[in-house]
Amino acid sequence: MASDALLAFEQVSVTFGRHGRSRRPVTALDHVSFAVTPGRSLGIIGDSGAGKSTLCRTAIGLVEPGEGRVIVDGSDLSGAPASAWQRARRHVALVFQDALGSFNPMRPVLDGIAMPLLSYADLGGAALRRAVGEVMEQVGLQPSQMTRYPHEFSGGQIQRLAIARALTTRPRLLILDEPVSALDVSIRAQILNLLIDLSRDLALTCVVISSDPAVVHYLTEETLVLFAGRVVEAAPTAALFARPRHPYTVALLAQRDPGIALHEQGLSGARAQTRLAVEMSGCRFAGICPRELPRCRDEAPEPTPLGEGRMVRCHSLAAEALAGETRKG
Ligand SMILES: Nc1ncnc2c1ncn2[C@@H]1O[C@H](COP(=O)(O)OP(=O)(O)O)[C@@H](O)[C@H]1O
Ligand SMILES: [Mg+2]
């Protein structure tokens, strides 16, 4: 695993106890590994329920993994006390999925933006306002608006405010959980372009979570595909979108192409399956997969390297890769 990683997960598993009607535990993350290195933003795609938000919360210490290691800036923080996580959150900031809900409706946005800063610095009065004004300018808002209340801002502006708050501690890594999914299509591009500008101007690396693959395609250098708590494919973003390999990734990306009706079916099946699949012992995509082999139902596929920094978990693709190597000699 890269030693200069800003954030790394090593075999991280998270299980929530006695969930839902079945009262059985849900494995929201199952042995998830990845590393984010400076300048190579990471996208995470997958349907609702795949474990994306759980991954975000685990990355900043709000959820404690049952197994594995979470490494922030080279320090293993698994099981670390709250104070260690508090220090780490200065460098790794999360913009939550519900931006509006993360601001107190009864307080001016100044208070909400300043919150992370107050845990590190004993700032007050003019210095605090200066710091808040600075991050508001960075996200394209007028500092004079800091005394307004959340309801006085549009959806796009609220998202900008949430990003401003994350920037107050000058993090090196910004995790964005569904940064544009609540926004009108016309506003989305503005926020995506803001994120591109911020990454460049502030030397920020991002982890971008989205159920819309196009967002990840636009913003990131590396992509993970999460299905029912497992990483089924990992690859450089350009390569993954040019040629998705895992049958689930193929279905997920094909939803933008109305010509591929067969894949659409696969995808709706995948969505229905996500909730059940966490209890399956074999490949979680078994039963709806067009490439299924007999062993897929009982045996979880291990990661298979495909070259050029790509990895896939699929018995069928592993067999194909092996056959290719055998042919080569
Ligand atoms: N606090 C929690 N308690 C119990 N189950 C949870 C909790 N948070 C998430 N889950 C379950 O974990 C799975 C993954 O959820 P989540 O991480 O929110 O997925 P995503 O963000 O990809 O939609 C789901 O089955 C969800 O119901
Ligand atoms: Mg989520």
Side-chain angles (χ1 to χ4, degrees):
M1 196 129 292
S3 58
D4 63 340
L6 298 168
L7 169 70
F9 274 32
E10 290 180 4
Q11 303 288 326
V12 168
S13 296
V14 171
T15 301
F16 294 110
R18 299 205 307 142
H19 179 71
R21 247 176 301 169
S22 70
R23 312 298 284 168
R24 269 180 286 190
V26 169
T27 308
L29 296 178
D30 187 6
H31 296 93
V32 168
S33 298
F34 63 86
V36 190
T37 52
R40 291 196 72 76
S41 289
L42 174 76
I44 301 178
I45 55 178
D47 281 304
S48 176
K52 303 183 299 298
S53 293
T54 302
L55 186 150
C56 294
R57 299 167 69 81
T58 308
I60 63 161
L62 297 181
V63 169
E64 196 179 332
E67 266 184 71
R69 308 202 305 153
V70 178
I71 297 159
V72 179
D73 256 332
S75 310
D76 180 1
L77 291 183
S78 327
S83 57
W85 276 108
Q86 175 89 357
R87 280 193 298 279
R89 283 202 280 270
R90 203 174 172 156
H91 306 293
V92 177
L94 171 61
V95 179
F96 286 92
Q97 188 163 352
D98 175 16
L100 179 59
S102 67
F103 285 90
N104 183 343
M106 312 299 283
R107 303 294 311 165
V109 294
L110 162 67
D111 290 22
I113 296 173
M115 201 136 52
L117 204 53
L118 292 174
S119 5
Y120 305 107
D122 189 15
L123 288 183
L128 190 67
R129 281 165 183 263
R130 208 161 34 243
V132 169
E134 192 182 321
V135 288
M136 286 184 77
E137 273 179 348
Q138 282 173 339
V139 300
L141 293 172
Q142 299 287 340
S144 60
Q145 295 177 310
M146 71 174 77
T147 52
R148 298 197 185 167
Y149 288 77
H151 72 267
E152 297 178 71
F153 293 88
S154 69
Q157 287 174 324
I158 286 284
Q159 191 61 40
R160 286 176 195 266
L161 291 167
I163 295 168
R165 172 173 47 203
L167 295 178
T168 51
T169 60
R170 302 177 197 275
R172 296 172 65 207
L173 185 73
L174 193 60
I175 305 177
L176 300 131
D177 192 1
E178 305 276 5
V180 298
S181 54
L183 302 177
D184 289 344
V185 173
S186 60
I187 310 294
R188 287 184 181 198
Q190 295 174 13
I191 297 293
L192 296 181
N193 288 329
L194 170 68
L195 292 171
I196 296 266
D197 292 346
L198 289 173
S199 309
R200 188 192 52 226
D201 298 344
L202 305 177
L204 260 181
T205 306
C206 297
V207 173
V208 181
I209 311 288
S210 187
S211 43
D212 179 0
V215 170
V216 161
H217 193 185
Y218 190 67
L219 291 178
T220 69
E221 281 74 35
E222 300 283 337
T223 300
L224 291 188
V225 184
L226 210 53
F227 179 73
R230 285 194 191 143
V231 176
V232 294
E233 183 162 9
T237 300
L240 184 111
F241 282 80
R243 190 177 175 214
R245 301 299 304 275
H246 194 282
Y248 172 66
T249 317
V250 171
L252 188 65
L253 299 192
Q255 66 185 315
R256 289 179 300 161
D257 183 349
I260 312 178
L262 188 77
H263 289 135
E264 272 292 351
Q265 272 174 14
L267 192 64
S268 57
R271 290 195 172 133
Q273 178 131 328
T274 298
R275 267 163 291 144
L276 308 170
V278 290
E279 292 162 12
M280 290 166 55
S281 57
C283 175
R284 291 178 171 182
F285 204 52
I288 46 175
C289 179
R291 304 186 60 135
E292 187 172 329
L293 302 174
R295 66 169 179 273
C296 296
R297 297 208 178 216
D298 319 304
E299 226 182 279
E302 294 296 318
T304 302
L306 295 177
E308 294 166 340
R310 303 192 67 159
M311 179 284 275
V312 73
R313 280 175 196 264
C314 170
H315 288 304
S316 171
L317 287 163
E320 192 180 278
L322 191 66
E325 268 168 37
T326 314
R327 265 200 307 278
K328 270 185 241 157

